[in-house]
């Protein structure tokens, strides 16, 4: 007799996400020949199904669509028997028409009574922005200055006694000399600037040798960082002869800070008498800037001053079932409280464009989204690329077979609230509510873009584990499964795994995660990426990046 698998210890063995789906997701490893309860109908598995992977609920003919989340996520390239696994051998990327649905009616906001009137402790800026952190920024206008940035980073860390790699350096000395060998440096003393979260040093590979548009995009991105509410001020290093000129950056900064409220110091090496003089002048601006930034203290701010950037990386077959919709529920709560969310990664919205267009608040916003998506796809096609190439080998191994399948789950991070604005890369967020941001699917490029457009806190979901962080915006990591949360405790901040096991409701965990966001925004909780000094920064070179 075949084994019937419905649940074990109260945990579902598989899940049909939407009533219209013709596949189910295995929530645990399922042996071939066993029977699955599909909402009262018994289905025998034609082969073993690995957890996180999908299997057909009935025979699917060659050319027929594969449906998950109630949307088309693929097309069968050969017949798929009922109970057989959905794989790259029998399914390819395919989406439904992108023709917009009827504009949605009034959005039903979630219950947020428990959060009404709640505040977070942030840094209030003269331009009205509120930061969740307080850092001094040091940036190069061109890659030629990366070495000088590194010199400054090490000098400042040593002077302040805040070397983030102190423990690793001690580890290396002990491995080389033994535990009784060279004594480690004395522990860092009292912080000299207790109201400052540190100095952040950016490096990159741009600024020269590219197009004028690349140089302008870099300057606009750097301006977004310099004028970010988490940044007290900045020191900028320029070589002098590069394409991204100081005047170009000044114009971009003035567009965001027309009153010149943010202190920015511009230094040019080719106009300096020596490298030593340049470093001395740069260090002076940094330490003077730290003293000025230290005068600003945290003070209560409404939750409407929070802007959550949402991102996913190292996704697995559970990401679209637990972590991503959990983050979407948090975004919906914040929007209901007057705050904002920014959903990026346009290649990972492919296949759900029509749903997002239906959520746009008006025709102008919908047309902007459609135009940017189509332009991105055309640009990719010109270099022989396509959004269907987006899933990584790790994604595929863990059940995300097509880009449309990945996209349908990734879009859940945006919740269900109306789309109030669509931003092109480097454009600043200005409208409260859910915004869409044109960025690539590359984790760090997209996270970099979210901070550049004004996200002052980032929620990053992962099913496989990724340490990505950001230099100026705290990044909170949410795991889709508990195994990952246990195995990578030094990387993961919040576990969405109880949703998969049926041990906690989405609403319960969304409230808990929002409270963690408030603590992180207030400086009461340091995300793992901050503790690890994981400060990743990669500008998007607007050729093509998928």
């Amino acid at each position: 007799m075949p084994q019937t698998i419905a649940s074990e210890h109260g945990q579902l063995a598989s899940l049909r996400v939407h009533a219209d789906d013709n596949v189910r997701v295995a929530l645990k490893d399922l042996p071939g020949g066993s029977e699955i309860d599909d909402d009262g109908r018994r289905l025998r598995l034609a082969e073993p199904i690995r957890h996180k992977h999908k299997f057909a609920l009935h025979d699917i003919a060659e050319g027929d669509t594969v449906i998950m989340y109630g949307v088309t996520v693929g097309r069968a390239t050969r017949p798929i028997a009922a109970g057989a696994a959905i794989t790259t051998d029998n399914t390819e990327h395919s989406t439904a028409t992108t023709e917009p649905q009827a504009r949605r009616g009034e959005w039903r906001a979630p219950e947020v009574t428990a959060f009404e009137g709640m505040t977070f402790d942030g840094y209030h800026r003269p331009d009205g922005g509120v930061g969740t952190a307080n850092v001094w920024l040091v940036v190069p206008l061109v890659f030629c200055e990366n070495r000088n940035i590194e010199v400054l980073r090490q000098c400042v860390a040593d002077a302040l006694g805040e070397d983030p790699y102190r423990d690793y350096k001690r580890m290396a000395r002990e491995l080389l000399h033994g535990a009784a060998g060279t004594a480690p440096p004395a522990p860092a003393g009292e912080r000299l600037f207790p109201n400052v979260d540190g100095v952040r040093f950016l490096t990159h590979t741009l600024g020269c040798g590219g197009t004028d548009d690349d140089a302008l995009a870099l300057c606009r991105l750097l301006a977004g960082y310099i004028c970010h509410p988490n940044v007290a001020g900045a020191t900028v290093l320029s070589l002098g002869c590069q394409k991204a000129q100081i005047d170009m950056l000044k114009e971009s900064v003035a567009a965001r800070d027309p009153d010149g409220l943010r202190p920015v110091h511009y230094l040019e090496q080719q106009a300096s008498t020596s490298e030593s003089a340049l470093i001395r002048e740069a260090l002076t601006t940094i330490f003077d800037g730290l003293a000025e930034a230290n005068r600003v203290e945290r003070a209560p701010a409404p939750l409407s001053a929070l802007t959550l950037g949402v991102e996913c990386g190292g996704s697995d077959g559970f990401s679209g079932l637990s972590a991503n919709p959990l983050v979407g529920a948090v975004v919906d709560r914040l929007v209901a409280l007057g705050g904002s969310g920014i959903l990026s990664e346009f290649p990972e919205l492919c296949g759900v464009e029509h749903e997002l267009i239906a959520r746009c608040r008006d025709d102008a916003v919908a047309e902007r989204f459609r135009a940017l998506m189509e332009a991105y796809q055309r640009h990719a096609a010109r270099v022989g690329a396509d959004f269907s190439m987006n899933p990584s080998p790790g994604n595929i191994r863990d059940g995300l077979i097509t880009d449309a399948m990945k996209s349908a789950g990734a879009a859940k991070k945006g919740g269900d609230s109306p789309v109030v604005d669509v931003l092109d890369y480097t454009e600043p967020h200005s409208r409260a509510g859910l915004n869409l941001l044109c960025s690539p699917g590359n984790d760090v490029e997209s996270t970099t873009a979210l901070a550049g457009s004004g996200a002052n806190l980032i929620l990053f979901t992962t099913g496989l584990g990724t340490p990505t962080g950001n230099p100026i915006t705290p990044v909170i990591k949410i795991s889709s499964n508990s195994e990952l949360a246990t195995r990578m405790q030094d990387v993961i901040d919040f576990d969405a795994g109880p949703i998969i096991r049926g041990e906690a409701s989405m609403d319960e965990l969304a409230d808990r995660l929002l409270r963690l966001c408030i603590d992180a925004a207030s400086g009461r909780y340091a995300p793992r990426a901050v503790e690890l000094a994981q400060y990743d920064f990669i500008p998007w070179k607007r050729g093509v990046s998928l």
Side-chain angles (χ1 to χ4, degrees):
M1 294 290 291
Q3 178 186 7
T4 299
I5 302 179
S7 62
E8 181 177 340
H9 307 303
Q11 179 183 353
L12 289 174
S14 67
L15 174 69
R16 188 202 293 218
V17 180
H18 190 279
D20 294 338
D21 292 356
N22 58 5
V23 299
R24 287 183 75 95
V25 186
L27 302 181
K28 55 180 287 187
D29 289 339
L30 303 176
S34 58
E35 289 189 344
I36 296 295
D37 178 12
D38 178 39
D39 300 330
R41 181 179 69 93
R42 289 194 174 187
L43 170 69
R44 182 175 298 183
L45 296 181
E47 58 183 311
I49 308 295
R50 290 179 52 212
H51 71 296
K52 306 181 185 180
H53 284 254
K54 291 79 184 171
F55 56 90
L57 292 178
H58 55 71
D59 292 341
I60 300 176
E62 180 179 348
D64 283 356
T65 56
V66 176
I67 308 295
M68 187 176 173
Y69 299 103
V71 300
T72 298
V73 297
R75 183 183 67 85
T77 57
R78 66 188 190 191
I80 306 173
I86 305 298
T87 70
T88 53
D89 293 330
N90 59 30
T91 304
E92 67 180 6
H93 170 79
S94 181
T95 65
T97 175
T98 58
E99 287 301 313
Q101 302 170 346
R103 189 67 41 77
R104 286 193 186 180
E106 186 175 352
W107 173 56
R108 179 177 294 180
E111 172 60 49
V112 291
T113 303
F115 296 93
E116 289 178 352
M118 191 174 290
T119 62
F120 72 97
D121 294 328
Y123 294 98
H124 294 254
R125 304 300 181 190
D127 62 2
V130 182
T132 62
N134 189 26
V135 304
W136 188 267
L137 194 62
V138 184
V139 303
L141 254 177
V142 63
F143 54 79
C144 306
E145 291 299 314
N146 283 349
R147 182 261 185 189
N148 288 333
I149 295 291
E150 179 60 22
V151 169
L152 291 169
R153 185 193 69 78
Q154 294 199 26
C155 291
V156 170
D158 183 72
L160 297 180
E162 296 178 352
D163 186 349
Y165 310 118
R166 185 185 306 107
D167 291 342
Y168 288 143
K169 290 177 180 178
R170 181 175 63 244
M171 179 194 303
R173 284 193 297 271
E174 290 176 353
L175 287 172
L176 181 63
H177 302 291
T182 305
E190 183 179 351
R191 291 174 58 190
L192 295 177
F193 305 102
N195 294 325
V196 182
D197 294 293
V199 184
R200 301 289 184 263
F201 300 85
L202 307 185
T203 58
H204 57 79
T205 61
L206 303 180
C208 201
T211 67
D212 291 345
D213 286 344
D214 285 337
L216 181 57
L218 174 64
C219 288
R220 287 173 174 170
L221 178 68
L222 294 178
Y225 273 62
I226 291 168
C227 300
H228 194 283
N230 290 358
V231 173
T235 298
V236 178
L237 296 191
S238 167
L239 178 61
C241 59
Q242 73 277 351
K243 184 162 287 187
Q245 288 285 297
I246 286 178
D247 285 345
M248 188 183 295
L249 178 58
K250 285 183 175 180
E251 290 176 5
S252 297
V253 169
R256 290 178 180 252
D257 181 22
D259 296 324
L261 300 174
R262 194 65 46 92
V264 187
H265 305 277
Y266 299 92
L267 310 179
E268 186 172 294
Q269 184 168 11
Q270 290 173 345
S272 181
T273 57
S274 66
E275 179 186 286
S276 176
L278 177 74
I279 297 300
R280 176 179 290 276
E281 187 176 3
L283 287 172
T284 300
T285 67
I286 293 169
F287 293 139
D288 287 349
L290 287 172
E292 184 67 27
N294 194 54
R295 296 188 178 95
V296 182
E297 298 184 359
R298 289 185 182 270
L303 297 187
S304 58
L306 282 179
T307 298
L308 292 179
V310 296
E311 173 73 16
C312 57
S315 299
D316 71 345
F318 287 163
S319 292
L321 307 179
S322 58
N324 290 350
L326 173 63
V327 165
V330 173
V331 170
D332 282 347
R333 282 160 170 73
L334 186 60
V335 169
L337 292 162
S340 300
I342 306 178
L343 174 64
S344 58
E345 299 181 291
F346 269 28
E348 298 191 4
L349 301 180
C350 176
V352 293
E353 301 100 319
H354 53 296
E355 292 193 348
L356 290 168
I357 288 173
R359 288 170 55 184
C360 290
R361 70 172 190 171
D362 56 40
D363 291 341
V365 173
E367 181 54 35
R368 185 95 197 283
F369 175 55
R370 185 188 295 107
L372 285 173
M373 280 289 286
E374 291 177 353
Y376 197 154
Q377 289 174 315
R378 288 194 304 270
H379 196 48
R382 283 198 294 269
V383 296
D386 190 87
F387 284 176
S388 63
M389 301 164 65
N390 180 265
S392 69
N395 294 151
I396 294 170
R397 280 196 304 270
D398 263 47
L400 296 178
I401 303 302
T402 69
D403 182 58
M405 186 180 292
K406 184 178 180 182
S407 297
K412 297 293 182 182
K413 302 191 303 294
D416 199 47
S417 66
V419 176
V420 299
D421 205 1
V422 178
L423 311 173
D424 199 0
Y425 179 63
T426 75
E427 284 186 340
H429 150 262
S430 61
R431 294 178 181 173
L434 178 65
N435 292 243
L436 305 181
L437 170 63
C438 183
S439 81
N442 178 297
D443 300 348
V444 178
E445 287 178 338
S446 184
T447 304
T448 297
L450 286 168
S453 286
N456 54 8
L457 197 65
I458 293 175
L459 299 185
F460 191 118
T461 68
T462 181
L464 304 177
T466 172
T468 303
N470 183 264
I472 64 171
T473 298
V475 177
I476 295 175
K477 296 287 178 40
I478 301 98
S479 67
S480 70
N481 61 89
S482 297
E483 186 275 331
L484 171 63
T486 300
R487 178 166 44 84
M488 299 185 72
Q489 296 181 43
D490 58 338
V491 168
I492 301 300
D493 297 281
F494 194 92
D495 179 19
I499 294 171
I500 297 294
R501 297 193 303 276
E503 296 176 359
S505 70
M506 191 73 70
D507 285 341
E508 175 187 351
L509 286 188
D511 286 349
R512 284 172 48 192
L513 181 54
L514 179 53
R515 293 182 188 280
L516 181 66
C517 290
I518 295 169
D519 285 342
S522 301
R524 296 189 292 268
Y525 174 78
R528 300 288 191 257
V530 173
E531 291 183 335
L532 293 172
Q534 186 81 34
Y535 301 136
D536 303 312
F537 177 81
I538 301 180
W540 180 21
K541 192 176 187 299
R542 199 73 175 263
V544 64
S545 183
L546 296 174

